[in-house]
Amino acid sequence: MPRLGTLSGTLEVLEKYQFHFQKKFGQNFLIEPGIIDKIVRAAEVDRTDCVLEIGPGIGTMTQYLAESAGKVIAVEIDRALIPILEDTLSEHSNVTVLHADILKVDVNRLSQEHNGGRPFKVVANLPYYITTPILMQLFESHAPISDITVMVQTEVATRMQVGPGTKDYGALSLAVQYYSKPEIVAHVPPECFLPRPNVGSTVIRLRRYEKPPVETADVPFLFSLIRASFNQRRKTLVNGVQNAAGLGVSKEEAAAALERMGLPVNIRGEALTLEQFAQLAGLLYEGKERAVRSSRMRGDGSGNDQSGGI
Ligand code: SAM
């Protein structure tokens, strides 16, 4: 079996299996060994690590990861790639290939089954069509993950890093920066892939914080608020929040909280920092708890109506 990561090795495998690229799965295979080395080095993978690779393709980066990691669990959605992976990874007994959609995988269970519940390092050349859902799910499911090093579309890497007041700032920026410290590893031109993507690519490492940089009473509530604030970008935060189903925050409550923070009531979500969102969530959450408590004391249960989404 050829060492993958080169154009000739990749073509040999594709030919042997008569494999046809599936655009719908975001298949762009790496054909530049220098880049793969760089990714594995940046992820600081060693024999104590169990790596979760999302979308191994024909097993290109998997071969490199298997040489450095203790174990690799590779999750691939395309059934046609499974027999190819059995072949290209036959010399690596520390690799387990799972045929599944990563968005439907319970990563907590995967870690129990394959890594004694200890955290994975995620290393992947991600399928670009679902980069954001994958990352949001990895973060929000509170799966045991210590570190993420991934190839993404350059535009998405930018979104992960920017702060308020820029057009790229949004829910993804805030989620990434709440859970991790983003760090660009390399920009990768289209020639390093087969077929060539029509966008630029960037490798980014997200070092997971042990403790997030801001405190919040209820993390899901904070992120429901953030999503609602960015849902209708051209609307004010107050309008976005009142229209968000399940959040349970009225326009008046949102306006009062902004005033307490000394912010204008017509401010847009894109102007708030992570710290300000956490503070706003704290004030709104406090108000909701107070409403639930007083309705309980009255015994009318009406306060429960306010609890949607928390
Ligand atoms: N790792 C390989 C490489 O670098 O050459 C392939 C990377 S390619 C950009 C993305 C891979 O993710 C493809 O193999 C594709 O079939 C797979 N994929 C797409 N959607 C997926 C999903 N929902 N779950 C798991 N794998 C997926």
Side-chain angles (χ1 to χ4, degrees):
M1 185 43 56
R3 168 105 164 139
L4 296 173
T6 58
L7 178 60
S8 58
T10 303
L11 288 173
E12 192 182 322
V13 171
L14 299 182
E15 182 97 335
K16 177 171 172 190
Y17 287 92
Q18 290 294 298
F19 177 79
H20 299 288
F21 289 104
Q22 297 248 35
K23 218 173 168 184
K24 68 171 180 189
F25 289 142
Q27 294 176 338
N28 300 94
F29 298 164
L30 274 165
I31 50 165
E32 174 49 56
I35 295 293
I36 305 169
D37 274 333
K38 207 167 194 169
I39 298 172
V40 178
R41 256 186 290 122
E44 295 180 272
V45 172
D46 67 33
R47 289 284 176 216
T48 64
D49 290 318
C50 183
V51 170
L52 172 61
E53 188 191 6
I54 298 163
I58 56 170
T60 304
M61 193 154 68
T62 327
Q63 286 186 344
Y64 293 64
L65 288 167
E67 283 163 12
S68 301
K71 258 189 197 178
V72 182
I73 312 298
V75 178
E76 175 54 60
I77 198 170
D78 187 352
R79 185 181 293 280
L81 288 167
I82 305 302
I84 305 183
L85 287 162
E86 274 165 22
D87 188 5
T88 58
L89 301 171
S90 59
E91 284 160 28
H92 299 284
S93 58
N94 58 345
V95 177
T96 304
V97 173
L98 302 173
H99 173 223
D101 176 347
I102 191 64
L103 294 176
K104 295 190 181 140
V105 168
D106 178 345
V107 179
N108 277 293
R109 222 177 81 197
L110 207 61
S111 143
Q112 292 297 339
E113 286 170 2
H114 296 276
N115 198 28
R118 287 183 298 279
F120 287 120
K121 269 190 177 172
V122 172
V123 185
N125 170 15
L126 286 179
Y128 293 170
Y129 74 107
I130 44 166
T131 302
T132 301
I134 291 175
L135 291 174
M136 292 300 268
Q137 182 163 319
L138 290 178
F139 283 134
E140 293 192 292
S141 65
H142 296 279
I145 288 165
S146 58
D147 202 279
I148 300 176
T149 304
V150 280
M151 176 91 73
V152 297
Q153 206 176 317
T154 301
E155 188 200 308
V156 176
T158 307
R159 277 202 263 143
M160 291 184 201
Q161 290 197 299
V162 293
T166 53
K167 71 169 182 18
D168 294 315
Y169 185 59
L172 179 68
S173 329
L174 286 153
V176 164
Q177 294 164 30
Y178 176 79
Y179 288 106
S180 70
K181 186 172 171 3
E183 200 177 282
I184 299 288
V185 173
H187 295 293
V188 184
E191 307 82 84
C192 296
F193 302 85
L194 187 75
R196 292 180 182 188
N198 46 20
V199 290
S201 302
T202 293
V203 180
I204 191 163
R205 181 173 179 187
L206 309 174
R207 289 171 194 254
R208 185 117 193 205
Y209 291 128
E210 281 190 8
K211 190 170 167 289
V214 296
E215 289 200 4
T216 185
D218 189 293
V219 181
F221 180 68
L222 170 66
F223 281 100
S224 302
L225 175 68
I226 288 173
R227 279 206 189 87
S229 308
F230 283 98
N231 250 349
Q232 296 149 301
R233 278 194 95 96
R234 270 170 299 171
K235 286 212 164 142
T236 62
L237 184 150
V238 162
N239 278 329
V241 163
Q242 79 153 358
N243 292 335
L247 191 65
V249 173
S250 70
K251 194 171 176 168
E252 292 70 29
E253 286 165 329
L258 286 173
E259 271 178 357
R260 276 183 69 184
M261 290 171 64
L263 294 172
V265 293
N266 63 350
I267 198 166
R268 291 191 182 162
E270 64 205 30
L272 265 69
T273 62
L274 176 59
E275 290 72 19
Q276 286 171 321
F277 268 116
Q279 195 187 348
L280 181 62
L283 289 172
L284 294 171
Y285 193 71
E286 215 178 86
K288 285 159 74 65
E289 279 203 313
R290 215 177 309 116
V292 172
R293 265 200 312 274
S294 64
S295 90
R296 279 205 193 111
M297 280 167 71
R298 286 198 306 274
D300 63 4
S302 63
N304 293 341
D305 297 347
Q306 302 284 314
S307 65
I310 300 185

